[in-house]
Amino acid sequence: MKSKASAPGKVILFGEHFVVYGVKAILCAINKRITVTAEKIEGEKISIKSNIGNLELETGKLISEINSPLKPFYYLADKILKNENTGIEIIVKSDIPLGVGLGSSSACCVAGAAAISRLFKKTSKEEILSLAIEAEKTIFKNTSGADCTVCTYGGIMDYDKGNGFHKIESEPNFHLVIANSNMEHSTESVVDDVRKFKENDENRFSSLCEIESKLVKDVLGLLKGNDIKKLGIKVKENQEYLETIGISNTKLREMIQIGQNASFGAKITGAGGGGCIYALADESNLKQTINQFKDKNYDCFSVKIDFKGLDTF
Ligand code: MEV
């Protein structure tokens, strides 16, 4: 018997980094997915096959001794296989570019937790989310949990560490043009750099958290009214705060300039230091935004909000 699950990637629309310190963020799931298939196999081993490589190990290994980006799958399989007399094969397929801030690792954790756990019993979305966050912590200890949450439930939501998520009921009809810097980044090390920035000037960081909170509150109102032009202004403002905390660089700034000239507003999404930016567009400026990035030879594509979230089949 095979168990299959898929989960969407995500874009953090507002509030990345500040969310680690308790500020509310706004995220949406995107219509690009990771699909995981799990199947029982003979022998007490865990075999993982993916387009970023393969990993095959016996069960019962110490997680700290595994040095592979596929570690979260091993963690999930080994935990779920405890007291089961079988091995497991996991196959991962992705249409999300990996490691660029679009939630590929959280989508892997969510789809992996669902496909593996549901080989043995019917697990709820809440149980899957909690397993997924545990698994994500094997590669990124200080995760806020925001990414796995939106990959599980889909749609657009606000999220803070204390209160969890809250679905935003309006269904905004914007397009996001994602441009990829193709610069590798490690979420963990960028989050660590922001922690150093904070520790260097606690007062400045706490006033930035306050203005970011205020911005997110304003955005929640604008989303209800579907006011894309005003949302674009907020996107630009948020980018300024991300510049201030030091997660941008020359290449990202050049991309943001292109996005801001062509669309309603553009900013880094996710950890920064590399990875992706998004530009906020509608039918009136979608094509021109894509063309502007393509003319300058940037990888780019457009996405819409995914309202389905985790899917098992
Ligand atoms: C990474 O996609 C988002 C960060 O805010 C970290 C987190 O929320 O765990 C940078």
Side-chain angles (χ1 to χ4, degrees), residues 10 12 15-20 101-103 136 140 142-147 159 187 190-191 269-272:
K10 68 91 201 15
I12 300 192
E16 51 274 272
H17 287 289
F18 298 102
V19 68
V20 175
L102 297 179
E136 192 177 42
F140 173 31
N142 291 325
T143 176
S144 66
D147 293 7
Y159 175 93
T187 300
V190 186
V191 169
T269 180

Side-chain angles (χ1 to χ4, degrees), residues 55-71:
L55 179 71
E56 186 168 309
L57 290 170
E58 287 167 8
T59 54
K61 294 253 175 243
L62 277 179
I63 287 295
S64 55
E65 283 171 9
I66 300 172
N67 181 16
S68 159
L70 299 171
K71 184 153 76 168

Side-chain angles (χ1 to χ4, degrees), residues 231-262:
L231 273 174
I233 295 169
K234 296 292 168 194
V235 171
K236 290 179 185 167
E237 269 173 41
N238 198 155
Q239 175 57 27
E240 281 169 28
Y241 310 152
L242 294 178
E243 288 285 347
T244 308
I245 61 173
I247 65 151
S248 194
N249 59 40
T250 311
K251 189 167 188 186
L252 291 171
R253 272 191 285 277
E254 185 184 304
M255 293 164 69
I256 282 154
Q257 202 53 55
I258 298 169
Q260 294 197 343
N261 290 342

Side-chain angles (χ1 to χ4, degrees), residues 11-302:
V11 164
I12 300 192
L13 294 169
F14 299 92
E16 51 274 272
H17 287 289
F18 298 102
V19 68
V20 175
Y21 300 96
V23 172
K24 202 171 263 187
I26 301 177
L27 304 89
C28 69
I30 55 171
N31 56 347
K32 297 234 172 253
R33 297 192 151 249
I34 295 241
T35 304
V36 177
T37 308
E39 189 174 13
K40 291 181 194 172
I41 52 170
E42 299 230 330
E44 296 189 353
K45 64 179 180 191
I46 295 168
S47 163
I48 306 159
K49 296 186 172 133
S50 81
N51 52 348
I52 54 161
N54 301 334
L55 179 71
E56 186 168 309
L57 290 170
E58 287 167 8
T59 54
K61 294 253 175 243
L62 277 179
I63 287 295
S64 55
E65 283 171 9
I66 300 172
N67 181 16
S68 159
L70 299 171
K71 184 153 76 168
F73 289 108
Y74 182 89
Y75 171 85
L76 288 164
D78 195 50
K79 176 168 177 150
I80 293 164
L81 281 177
K82 287 245 151 53
N83 311 320
E84 302 282 348
N85 205 359
T86 180
I88 203 162
E89 182 182 73
I90 298 162
I91 295 173
V92 188
K93 295 228 156 70
S94 172
D95 51 38
I96 308 172
L98 302 174
V100 292
L102 297 179
S104 58
S105 41
S106 25
C108 278
C109 291
V110 171
I116 301 166
S117 65
R118 288 192 176 181
L119 254 186
F120 300 94
K121 63 176 176 135
K122 181 130 187 51
T123 38
S124 67
K125 276 196 172 176
E126 290 69 30
E127 286 170 292
I128 288 164
L129 173 59
S130 145
L131 277 169
I133 292 176
E134 268 179 46
E136 192 177 42
K137 285 187 173 164
T138 66
I139 44 169
F140 173 31
K141 197 165 74 252
N142 291 325
T143 176
S144 66
D147 293 7
C148 284
T149 305
V150 77
C151 295
T152 303
Y153 295 105
I156 172 163
M157 61 176 61
D158 62 61
Y159 175 93
D160 72 72
K161 266 169 127 175
N163 302 304
F165 77 98
H166 167 254
K167 274 212 169 199
I168 296 171
E169 290 310 333
S170 58
E171 295 200 357
N173 198 24
F174 51 68
H175 295 262
L176 299 173
V177 177
I178 311 284
N180 188 349
S181 69
N182 282 317
M183 289 172 80
E184 280 195 21
H185 68 171
S186 144
T187 300
E188 185 150 42
S189 75
V190 186
V191 169
D192 210 42
D193 289 343
V194 174
R195 182 185 53 75
K196 287 181 197 140
F197 174 93
K198 171 182 172 287
E199 285 172 0
N200 205 30
D201 194 341
E202 294 285 354
N203 288 340
R204 186 156 182 231
F205 193 79
S206 104
S207 60
L208 279 166
C209 285
E210 265 172 43
I211 52 175
E212 180 74 24
S213 286
K214 160 93 177 57
L215 180 142
V216 167
K217 205 164 155 220
D218 292 347
V219 168
L220 289 172
L222 293 174
L223 281 170
K224 280 199 195 117
N226 235 330
D227 191 334
I228 195 159
K229 284 197 180 134
K230 285 195 182 145
L231 273 174
I233 295 169
K234 296 292 168 194
V235 171
K236 290 179 185 167
E237 269 173 41
N238 198 155
Q239 175 57 27
E240 281 169 28
Y241 310 152
L242 294 178
E243 288 285 347
T244 308
I245 61 173
I247 65 151
S248 194
N249 59 40
T250 311
K251 189 167 188 186
L252 291 171
R253 272 191 285 277
E254 185 184 304
M255 293 164 69
I256 282 154
Q257 202 53 55
I258 298 169
Q260 294 197 343
N261 290 342
S263 73
F264 296 108
K267 67 176 268 296
I268 290 169
T269 180
C276 289
I277 67 147
Y278 78 77
L280 182 71
D282 68 7
E283 302 296 335
S284 72
N285 53 12
L286 177 63
K287 270 214 182 100
Q288 92 179 26
T289 307
I290 294 175
N291 289 343
Q292 294 284 326
F293 283 116
K294 293 215 159 140
D295 283 353
K296 298 254 164 44
N297 291 324
Y298 283 109
D299 269 357
C300 85
F301 53 92
S302 76

